[in-house]
Amino acid sequence: MAAKGKTITSVIWSISSKVAIFTLKFVSVPILARYLSPSELGMVASGMIVITFLLLFAGAGLTAGLIRDAREDAVSDDTIFWTNLGVATTLGFLVYLFAQPLASLLGAPEAAWLLEIFAPLFVLYLGPDVASSQLSRRMAFDKDAFVSVFAEAMGAIAAIAIVIGGYGIWALIGQLYVSAGLRFIGLFLAAGYLPGFHFAMPELRRHMSYGVRLVGADFVSFLSFQSPIVIITRMLGLPEAGTFNLTNRLSDLPNQIVLTGLMSVLFPSFSRMNDDSEKQAAILSRTTQATTLLLAPMLFGIWAVAEPAMTVVFGEKWAFAAPVLGLLAVSKGIMSPCGSFIPYLKATGHATVLWRFGLGRAITTILAMIAGAWWNGLYGLCVFLCIANVGVLLSYLWVVLKVAGLPLIAGMRNTLFPLLLAGLMAVTVRLLFVGGWIQADGALMQLAMGVAVGGALYAVLVLLTQRRLVMELVRR
């Protein structure tokens, strides 16, 4: 019971931090969007693709092994710290040296100077990973939440001050450095971690044998989630990449609030249950249903109110991007049941399954987006992404249910039914708008009425069809 209570508290802290960060982004991103052009947003997005991609390999999944360990060992922690620091320094130097060819490879040669500026970020991102893993291992998500929120808040404030001062794209650069720098300092202080002069090759090999398998899974996941920027930049140009980046950030906010917070807690929680596979499977089933019940209506609802939402949040100059926002939200809503799958497969040692499925998903997604972009530009890319995600969801669900030993038909039904309810709600709200049943003066009132009608309708549908599940979740 004590462990269960600590897990619930950790989930609350983790999600609360995501809510706070969401609030900051909800305020800062629209302000930045009003001052920056699609090309500037696309340039920063393209530059960060390189950093994010190399970070996947830089850490080699080593800190995931620290989280999975039941014990806390100074030699093991220090070994991973010095390994990460050495790799981060080397990568930063190489990115600075080869900034021009890397930018040209992305189809954005004008972003080379940004890569040179971004090079030190490797140390700021990888340096505190051991401290962060210590907090996760101790389930000290309250401390991690405080550091994350404070760092993001200061970064957002810095960005707003810089962009209002007329320095344009430097606002995004400043935001990255302020947030990363404060996170670097804060995590070391929160964990009370002072690296010692220890290095043990057996410890490095032990963690690397586990981490390398995760890197493969993270790599194919990266291809699925980050390849759109590369495809759009090369096929359609930087303005379209900037439009995609902005709308993707807004459509991803529900996931950032709920999913990332939940996943960060589920991985150590599942790891602690490795001697009880039935309990793991039961929690997997419940968390899958719960995340679908919560996330799907939020994401499909964005599609239903995309036009007023885009105008209210980003201003009239971005109203043209409403169809892209709506379709991206739908593509994420389709995948909402999958939030608990990755931490489950990682914790139970099924990294090979995760990698193989991730590779198939990446290939499917990339081919679909290329075909969609060729067919009808950015809009076509988003349409094809939605279609591909339907197949990915069904395949992913089948694989995970099989691995967990859960009934296939019942598992499919329990997972997909809440998704269908959310889709029904969103389509109804959209039809009410088109038919003139929802009328209001101004985009803000239209958005408010759409959210109110959709929320009320979904609540009725859930109470009529999912009352038992809701009561079980409340009791837990």
Side-chain angles (χ1 to χ4, degrees), residues 43-44 106 118 126 172-173 218-219 234 248 282 290 294 319-320 373 386 389 396 429 432 449 452-453 457 459 470:
M43 196 181 300
V44 172
L106 289 172
F118 286 163
L126 274 182
L172 299 175
I173 298 170
D218 289 340
F219 169 67
R234 293 195 66 87
N248 189 53
L294 183 60
F320 72 92
C386 292
N389 277 355
Y396 209 171
V429 172
L432 290 174
M449 290 187 66
V453 172
L457 177 59
V470 172

Side-chain angles (χ1 to χ4, degrees), residues 293-311:
L293 204 65
L294 183 60
L295 276 176
M298 297 168 70
L299 290 162
F300 288 161
I302 291 176
W303 169 77
V305 297
E307 285 77 8
M310 203 69 195
T311 301

Side-chain angles (χ1 to χ4, degrees), residues 192-373:
Y193 175 56
L194 182 64
F197 295 100
H198 303 105
F199 190 90
M201 188 58 70
E203 286 298 304
L204 179 59
R205 284 196 295 265
R206 181 171 71 88
H207 288 294
M208 190 166 287
S209 65
Y210 172 73
V212 165
R213 290 179 293 165
L214 296 183
V215 169
D218 289 340
F219 169 67
V220 293
S221 178
F222 172 89
L223 292 179
S224 297
F225 291 109
Q226 302 296 334
S227 59
I229 290 294
V230 179
I231 293 170
I232 294 167
T233 301
R234 293 195 66 87
M235 294 185 66
L236 306 175
L238 278 176
E240 286 76 9
T243 300
F244 179 90
N245 182 46
L246 187 69
T247 51
N248 189 53
R249 291 174 71 175
L250 179 58
S251 66
D252 203 39
L253 285 177
N255 283 339
Q256 293 295 323
I257 297 171
V258 179
L259 216 51
T260 54
L262 183 65
M263 288 174 68
S264 64
V265 176
L266 283 179
F267 178 46
S269 298
F270 279 133
S271 296
R272 293 182 174 207
M273 303 174 200
N274 276 331
D275 57 346
D276 192 345
S277 58
E278 289 186 5
K279 187 176 181 180
Q280 282 179 327
I283 292 178
L284 171 68
S285 178
R286 280 289 176 263
T287 53
T288 299
Q289 292 178 63
T291 52
T292 308
L293 204 65
L294 183 60
L295 276 176
M298 297 168 70
L299 290 162
F300 288 161
I302 291 176
W303 169 77
V305 297
E307 285 77 8
M310 203 69 195
T311 301
V312 169
V313 177
F314 296 121
E316 288 287 348
K317 80 171 187 176
W318 289 98
F320 72 92
V324 176
L325 170 66
L327 288 171
L328 283 176
V330 169
S331 72
K332 298 176 194 301
I334 292 168
M335 297 297 293
S336 58
C338 304
S340 55
F341 294 172
I342 292 176
Y344 172 78
L345 291 173
K346 282 185 176 181
T348 53
H350 290 93
T352 302
V353 174
L354 194 59
W355 182 84
R356 288 176 178 173
F357 181 83
L359 180 61
R361 176 186 181 182
I363 293 172
T364 302
T365 302
I366 290 171
L367 291 177
M369 289 188 296
I370 291 173

Side-chain angles (χ1 to χ4, degrees), residues 84-202:
N84 280 352
L85 187 62
V87 172
T89 304
T90 302
L91 280 178
F93 174 75
L94 291 174
V95 166
Y96 183 87
L97 192 63
F98 296 102
Q100 189 63 57
L102 284 172
S104 298
L105 184 64
L106 289 172
E110 56 268 61
W113 67 277
L114 270 177
L115 288 178
E116 295 175 353
I117 292 174
F118 286 163
L121 286 173
F122 287 106
V123 173
L124 293 179
Y125 285 148
L126 274 182
D129 269 7
V130 170
S132 178
S133 69
Q134 289 179 341
L135 294 176
S136 296
R137 186 166 51 201
R138 301 166 191 165
M139 302 294 280
F141 289 96
D142 52 342
K143 296 180 179 180
D144 189 279
F146 177 81
V147 171
S148 298
V149 171
F150 180 76
E152 289 290 339
M154 293 300 102
I157 291 171
I160 292 171
I162 294 169
V163 80
I164 291 177
Y167 293 96
I169 197 172
W170 286 95
L172 299 175
I173 298 170
Q175 183 176 26
L176 288 170
Y177 269 97
V178 170
S179 296
L182 291 175
R183 177 180 175 273
F184 182 97
I185 297 170
L187 286 175
F188 277 105
L189 293 176
Y193 175 56
L194 182 64
F197 295 100
H198 303 105
F199 190 90
M201 188 58 70

Side-chain angles (χ1 to χ4, degrees), residues 437-472:
W437 292 92
I438 298 180
Q439 294 183 352
D441 293 330
L444 181 59
M445 285 302 299
Q446 291 176 8
L447 178 60
M449 290 187 66
V451 170
V453 172
L457 177 59
Y458 186 69
V460 171
L461 291 173
V462 168
L463 289 176
L464 289 175
T465 62
Q466 301 288 292
R467 185 182 304 174
R468 182 178 177 181
L469 172 61
V470 172
M471 293 304 296
E472 288 180 3

